[in-house]
Amino acid sequence: MSRRKFLKQSSLFTLGLLTTGAIHRNDSFKYSKDVIVGHNSHRYKVDLNWGNLDPLKTPVQDCHEMVQDSRGRILLLTNHTKNNVIVYDKSGKLIETWGTEYPGAHGLTLVKENGEDFLLITDYERHQIIKTTLKGKVVFTIDAPLETGEYKTKEEFKPTETTVASNGDIYVADGYGKQYITHYNSKGEIQNIFGGRGQKEDQFLNAHGICFDARNESSPSLLITAREKNQLKRFDLQGNFLETIPVPGALICRPVIHKKDIYFAVLRSKSSWDSDSGFVLIMNDQNEVVSCPGATAPSYQNNQLSELYQTLRLFQHPHDVCIDDDDNVYVAQWNSGQTYPIKLTRV
């Protein structure tokens, strides 16, 4: 059976599980409480009702990223300028909203400084990174790094993600621009720039996400996605290339480390017949994929990961994941019909 035929039949099977009907997230499905997704030790019950709000009062456009703050609240970033940041409690109840000035709101990173939480927002339309309090007060902004000589105009700089090292240094991924990684100190002063668009091992095609990896305390590093190449790349903190981790078939967004594992939203499957064919991917500390909620079970042949692709029509362009302190996963989606996040409850 061809992969295309298999995926179409899988979609029909999904309709049998979820039942055709109307739902706020996806007009193809009606929610069933018994759907379990994932593999091995990482399996989840699907909750399509979490965080469902009145779209007339609290609208979303693209739901780009989510984080959990020190108080256990879940913060969602959308590029709808009526309410760029939506704050939930863990049950999905709305606490507050703020933000009307971020039309290209894309990246959301939580920063902890002296016991206080801050946010780093990347806005690719403003060509800026904005540091704010949890109430939205602007602390400072970082503009296009023209002084590096790699950018002629601010419009060439379209940042998608940030990460913060243990010493407070900030790393910015220019995933929609010229694909450079710019290293700043905690005050926003440039320290280094590396990467750039290209096919070399230390370059990127869509450096979409970046994450500080401190799981090896003696040798912390940076994990950076090369989404169009279905790769995760590791660099040291000085910008030296260390390794490439292939994830065949998966257009991965930013890496999110929780305990010993790395979680990804996969925007779409490379070889799928359907353009919004995404899923969630979980990788252990040995760089082995252990679970793919919404997709094929991970399989290795001769130590090579077989190509991954969507098998369950649950997600539409998943763009980020947030993992709470109970190991539940919240999935934010881009270009999904203005839908709210999906919660995966660990079982």
Side-chain angles (χ1 to χ4, degrees):
M1 180 185 298
S2 71
R3 178 173 300 156
R4 178 176 296 227
K5 185 176 181 181
F6 172 75
L7 286 171
K8 288 184 177 179
Q9 291 188 1
S10 297
S11 296
L12 294 175
F13 176 68
T14 301
L15 294 179
L17 286 176
L18 300 179
T19 314
T20 302
I23 191 167
H24 74 282
R25 305 179 189 287
N26 186 329
D27 288 340
S28 300
F29 305 136
K30 184 177 179 181
Y31 178 53
S32 170
K33 294 181 179 180
D34 298 324
V35 176
I36 304 294
V37 296
H39 309 96
N40 303 311
S41 60
H42 291 71
R43 301 174 69 244
Y44 304 87
K45 182 180 292 186
V46 177
D47 183 353
L48 295 178
N49 293 319
W50 186 93
N52 184 17
L53 303 173
D54 182 346
L56 297 179
K57 295 180 180 179
T58 316
V60 295
Q61 189 163 296
D62 300 312
C63 293
H64 273 138
E65 295 199 338
M66 303 177 76
V67 296
Q68 184 177 33
D69 69 13
S70 297
R71 296 162 58 186
R73 307 181 310 166
I74 307 294
L75 285 73
L76 167 69
L77 183 71
T78 173
N79 53 12
H80 199 299
T81 53
K82 183 176 180 178
N83 39 232
N84 285 124
V85 175
I86 299 173
V87 184
Y88 295 98
D89 68 14
K90 283 179 62 176
S91 72
K93 180 181 178 180
L94 176 66
I95 297 175
E96 63 180 343
T97 67
W98 55 265
T100 60
E101 299 178 348
Y102 305 115
H106 187 279
L108 185 67
T109 301
L110 187 74
V111 184
K112 299 182 180 182
E113 296 179 359
N114 301 317
E116 185 176 358
D117 287 352
F118 295 90
L119 298 172
L120 290 175
I121 298 172
T122 61
D123 188 314
Y124 57 80
E125 289 195 17
R126 287 178 47 169
H127 315 286
Q128 282 184 324
I129 298 90
I130 305 96
K131 182 178 181 179
T132 76
T133 68
L134 290 191
K135 290 292 186 178
K137 181 180 178 181
V138 175
V139 179
F140 65 70
T141 60
I142 297 175
D143 295 318
L146 302 180
E147 59 267 50
T148 65
E150 301 295 349
Y151 295 84
K152 295 180 180 178
T153 67
K154 72 174 186 178
E155 287 75 20
E156 293 180 318
F157 182 59
K158 298 178 181 180
T160 50
E161 191 60 72
T162 62
T163 195
V164 179
S166 54
N167 67 350
D169 282 8
I170 300 167
Y171 295 82
V172 178
D174 184 22
Y176 291 163
K178 297 188 72 175
Q179 312 295 312
Y180 285 101
I181 310 300
T182 310
H183 174 192
Y184 301 84
N185 64 19
S186 61
K187 298 179 182 179
E189 300 166 335
I190 291 179
Q191 307 297 299
N192 188 21
I193 189 168
F194 60 94
R197 185 188 307 275
Q199 298 282 358
K200 297 179 180 179
E201 60 183 12
D202 61 349
Q203 294 179 318
F204 303 96
L205 292 180
N206 197 193
H208 189 270
I210 185 169
C211 179
F212 176 69
D213 184 1
R215 292 175 297 171
N216 182 346
E217 295 181 2
S218 64
S219 183
S221 59
L222 300 169
L223 295 174
I224 307 170
T225 55
R227 192 167 70 179
E228 293 300 325
K229 293 182 70 65
N230 307 149
Q231 293 174 343
L232 177 65
K233 297 191 177 190
R234 186 184 302 277
F235 290 75
D236 68 21
L237 301 186
Q238 289 71 48
N240 298 304
F241 172 80
L242 298 176
E243 66 172 331
T244 294
I245 304 163
V247 279
L251 276 75
I252 52 176
C253 297
R254 74 158 163 180
V256 177
I257 293 177
H258 177 71
K259 297 178 179 177
K260 293 295 184 180
D261 296 327
I262 316 171
Y263 294 70
F264 305 85
V266 176
L267 188 74
R268 66 178 178 86
S269 311
K270 181 178 180 180
S271 300
S272 174
W273 61 277
D274 206 340
S275 64
D276 63 358
S277 53
F279 52 93
V280 173
L281 185 151
I282 304 165
M283 182 183 293
N284 66 18
D285 57 355
Q286 302 300 310
N287 299 334
E288 299 167 334
V289 178
V290 296
S291 182
C292 293
T296 47
S299 174
Y300 285 83
Q301 302 292 332
N302 299 320
N303 295 320
Q304 300 295 315
L305 178 64
S306 300
E307 183 171 339
L308 303 166
Y309 51 91
Q310 184 191 75
T311 56
L312 185 69
R313 295 284 294 129
L314 170 61
F315 300 111
Q316 295 178 278
H317 297 125
H319 192 272
D320 190 39
V321 291
C322 172
I323 303 87
D324 69 20
D325 42 16
D326 294 319
D327 296 341
N328 304 313
V329 179
Y330 305 82
V331 185
Q333 301 187 113
W334 167 79
N335 192 22
S336 61
Q338 301 178 345
T339 62
Y340 297 92
I342 295 173
K343 181 179 179 180
L344 303 180
T345 302
R346 186 81 176 262
V347 297

